[in-house]
Amino acid sequence: MPQALPASTRTFPTDTPVDFVVIGSGPAGGSVARELTRKGFNVVMLEQGRAFGPEELEHDEVGAFFTERWTNSSESQPQTYRTTEAEKAERRPFVGYAKAVGGTSFHFTGNYWRFRPIDFNEFSVKGGVDGAALADWPISYDELEPYYTAVEWAIGVSGKANAAPGEPRHSRDYPLPPLNVTGPGVLLTHGCEKLGWSSKPAPMAILSREYNGRQPCHNCGFCLAFPCEWGAKSGANYTMVPEALRSDRCELRTECTVRKIETNNDGRVTGVIYFDKNKREVVQRAKAVVLCANGAESPRLLLMSKSNRFPNGLANSSGMVGKHFMFNGAALTRAEFAHEVNGHRGPVVSRISHHHYELDQSLGFTGGGGFDFRFDVPAILTAASLPRSEPQWGSAFKARLKPWFTHSLLSYAHTTSLPVATNSVSLDPELKDALGLPALRTTFKEHEHDMRMYKHFQSLGRELLTAAGALKMHDDPINETPGFTVHLLGTCRMGNDPKTSVVDKYHRAHDVPNLFVVDGSSFVTSGRGQPTLTIQALAFRAADHIAQAATRGEI
């Protein structure tokens, strides 16, 4: 069993400016804290969730999926949702994220795909799409590649580079060999071979071998939405945060919710105001702030941090804070086979196909995606996923459960999702959370291009399942409004023009010289799915440039 987080060996006074306050402890915040402390800076890291010890990491399906054991609470952190700005938003949970030290990497699936060069310059290469705000990133794949490699080796990623055509350049192979192939992975590979599609071992932030004193995957099957009691998942709670704490330059304060980033008359950040676990208001002074809350909570905090100097929200002179909210597109089909698949044995994903990563524009699409075959939820939810056309009660229902559990899998297509300016997060004008802060309001409706993309990939998924030998298939519905979403992207996009972006290519806010926003909110486009490695690579890169600027006295 892994050890609990090391205790903070340093405490910093609140009334003396610390070098950096980092808001969030996930793949972005944990990485920024780790990198800044390695470069000699003192950091206070604020996390709204708890630090969970190994003894608390039980396989509780009800807790993980129904009682918000590890995630943001729909009761104390209510949200509202609407499809257009003309509507009144209704209260409902829509945006999900982990609420724990380690952020969403505390309980993630562990897919660690790199973006490809086309993800950074697709607008220049292929042009725009009506009704979307496609743009190039201000950085290239080659600029980010060293940081991809640095993350993979720092945390332990299992995979094999250059295993399929079209892979981006890798300056170094993954530190660990691929995870053992599972039943769904065997079937995906078989289906791809029959169709002439390429496939490859999935790059996963899960250890296939012992690494830096952490145990490899035990194949327990409780992976997606569950923390790993073995420490095999390479989440920030087992990698970045402990290293930052062991530096003797970082103090982690948990159960702390920031309500405002403070600025002075010169427009510079002076610190943050937060509620501690006893709901007492605390002011922490800082020379600079790095906001890494996530793609929904970061813009929410900027909007709550308005002042006379920043009446529309902090760092929002462009009006772009909260705009261009993106997720990753998806198309799902459940399938059943004549033989046992036993996908519950092992990690969620072991093989993927990126054969359709870049679709031919003659098909009417800009973008593309990839596939995995998976068995991603344990017994209770698998029983609940039995299609409505099947028996739902009694002896016939019971008779169907075992073959459904052992013989089925899910084809999961991960796709691009277009940035649309009217898709946004903002502050609800009426609803408040348990601390009296404005609730998060989401405005979102799928672009018609994306709806066609999802249907196209669902059709491709059925083709792949048929080639793999599926007997029965059941499509999950594709709707204009997602019921619930993660992978929160694009709401503080980076760019060179302060009129159309929130942060520059180094994640520094255009309006505030000592404020940085480092998480999925800086994304210009969504990629093809699985953004966490890119979020973490961007965090490594941002911390590198932030440290250089601080050393030069520019912060």
Side-chain angles (χ1 to χ4, degrees):
M1 295 283 284
Q3 300 298 311
L5 276 175
S8 296
T9 55
R10 290 284 298 275
T11 57
F12 297 99
T14 58
D15 57 355
T16 301
V18 69
D19 291 329
F20 294 95
V21 165
V22 174
I23 303 172
S25 67
S31 296
V32 167
R34 183 247 198 189
E35 292 298 289
L36 290 177
T37 56
R38 280 160 56 93
K39 292 172 171 61
F41 296 98
N42 293 332
V43 173
V44 169
M45 183 163 36
L46 300 175
E47 167 57 49
Q48 66 169 321
R50 285 181 51 208
F52 290 90
E55 72 284 353
E56 299 179 88
L57 308 185
E58 75 280 354
H59 294 171
D60 175 8
E61 293 183 55
V62 174
F65 289 99
F66 297 106
T67 64
E68 302 169 327
R69 178 83 165 88
W70 323 109
T71 60
N72 52 313
S73 166
S74 56
E75 291 301 317
S76 62
Q77 297 168 287
Q79 303 173 35
T80 61
Y81 172 80
R82 60 187 182 177
T83 57
T84 69
E85 295 178 355
E87 300 173 16
K88 178 177 173 57
E90 296 182 357
R91 178 170 176 170
R92 57 167 280 197
F94 183 77
V95 169
Y97 54 85
K99 190 177 178 181
V101 172
T104 300
S105 67
F106 174 78
H107 69 172
F108 64 176
T109 302
N111 285 294
Y112 254 45
W113 301 3
R114 289 186 176 200
F115 280 16
R116 293 186 179 184
I118 189 64
D119 290 306
F120 297 91
N121 66 352
E122 196 154 28
F123 176 68
S124 290
V125 172
K126 297 188 175 180
V129 176
D130 288 344
L134 272 173
D136 289 341
W137 292 56
I139 63 173
S140 67
Y141 175 84
D142 285 340
E143 289 178 72
L144 196 57
E145 197 284 331
Y147 300 100
Y148 276 131
T149 298
V151 171
E152 290 160 354
W153 281 80
I155 69 172
V157 173
S158 302
K160 182 172 177 57
N162 304 313
E167 286 227 14
R169 178 181 65 85
H170 285 244
S171 57
R172 193 178 186 188
D173 204 347
Y174 295 104
L176 295 165
L179 293 162
N180 293 332
V181 64
T182 60
V186 169
L187 290 170
L188 178 132
T189 302
H190 175 63
C192 286
E193 288 174 349
K194 286 192 70 175
L195 294 172
W197 298 4
S198 60
S199 64
K200 63 180 180 180
M204 300 291 287
I206 299 175
L207 305 185
S208 60
R209 303 284 189 275
E210 184 175 341
Y211 194 72
N212 291 342
R214 290 164 40 228
Q215 297 182 45
C217 178
H218 284 229
N219 299 309
C220 70
F222 287 82
C223 204
L224 184 152
F226 292 91
C228 182
E229 69 267 38
W230 310 109
K233 284 189 185 181
S234 300
N237 54 310
Y238 286 132
T239 57
M240 300 291 97
V241 176
E243 289 191 41
L245 293 176
R246 285 193 288 267
S247 72
D248 196 36
R249 291 185 174 277
C250 179
E251 180 185 356
L252 170 63
R253 300 177 191 167
T254 59
E255 299 178 81
C256 295
T257 301
V258 181
R259 76 163 183 83
K260 188 175 184 180
I261 300 171
E262 283 202 309
T263 53
N264 60 18
N265 292 333
D266 295 326
R268 295 180 60 86
V269 165
T270 58
V272 300
I273 305 173
Y274 68 89
F275 293 106
D276 67 13
K277 63 182 178 180
N278 297 313
K279 298 185 179 181
R280 294 178 300 199
E281 194 170 88
V282 180
V283 178
Q284 173 63 55
R285 298 299 176 196
K287 297 176 183 177
V289 168
V290 188
L291 177 55
C292 310
N294 67 47
E297 290 293 344
S298 287
R300 177 179 176 233
L301 180 55
L302 292 176
L303 294 172
M304 289 194 297
S305 299
K306 66 180 182 180
S307 63
N308 289 338
R309 186 181 180 91
F310 301 102
N312 298 315
L314 187 60
N316 195 29
S317 66
S318 64
M320 292 293 108
V321 170
K323 304 294 186 182
H324 308 108
F325 199 15
M326 296 178 290
F327 319 116
N328 286 129
L332 285 62
T333 300
R334 300 177 188 277
E336 195 168 0
F337 292 77
H339 50 77
E340 289 189 351
V341 177
N342 292 321
H344 59 284
R345 298 175 182 172
V348 173
V349 177
S350 64
R351 294 293 187 273
I352 60 174
S353 174
H354 278 162
H355 189 78
H356 299 279
Y357 197 91
E358 191 175 351
L359 294 177
D360 191 321
Q361 278 192 293
S362 66
L363 297 172
F365 297 112
T366 296
F371 283 96
D372 65 56
F373 282 2
R374 59 173 61 194
F375 190 94
D376 56 356
V377 294
I380 293 176
L381 281 186
T382 297
S385 72
L386 192 66
R388 303 302 296 177
S389 58
E390 300 280 358
Q392 299 294 310
W393 193 253
S395 58
F397 172 69
K398 293 178 182 178
R400 286 292 287 125
L401 288 184
K402 183 176 180 181
W404 183 246
F405 188 73
T406 57
H407 291 55
S408 70
L409 58 77
L410 181 67
S411 167
Y412 202 122
H414 310 264
T415 78
T416 45
S417 178
L418 291 173
V420 177
T422 52
N423 288 341
S424 66
V425 294
S426 56
L427 305 180
D428 192 276
E430 299 174 4
L431 186 63
K432 307 293 184 185
D433 67 13
L435 294 170
L437 304 176
L440 180 71
R441 179 178 63 184
T442 302
T443 304
F444 189 88
K445 184 178 181 180
E446 296 278 15
H447 192 287
E448 63 84 21
H449 171 281
D450 290 340
M451 293 292 291
R452 290 188 289 108
M453 172 85 75
Y454 307 156
K455 292 173 183 176
H456 179 71
F457 268 89
Q458 193 163 65
S459 176
L460 291 172
R462 291 178 69 90
E463 186 179 351
L464 183 57
L465 286 166
T466 300
L471 296 179
K472 297 180 180 180
M473 288 180 276
H474 309 272
D475 293 337
D476 277 17
I478 294 174
N479 299 313
E480 284 191 342
T481 56
F484 187 74
T485 190
V486 294
H487 295 181
L488 314 172
L489 310 171
T491 49
C492 298
R493 58 164 45 182
M494 64 161 65
N496 295 322
D497 186 353
K499 295 179 181 178
T500 58
S501 59
V502 178
V503 299
D504 68 14
K505 64 188 297 184
Y506 302 117
H507 296 261
R508 189 198 296 252
H510 291 299
D511 299 348
V512 187
N514 60 340
L515 172 66
F516 301 84
V517 185
V518 185
D519 54 29
S521 64
S522 68
F523 279 37
V524 182
T525 54
S526 70
R528 266 65 169 169
Q530 309 306 339
T532 311
L533 172 57
T534 298
I535 290 172
Q536 197 161 9
L538 288 169
F540 268 52
R541 178 179 177 275
D544 192 6
H545 288 283
I546 291 168
Q548 292 175 32
T551 300
R552 295 192 299 265
E554 296 174 3
I555 296 176

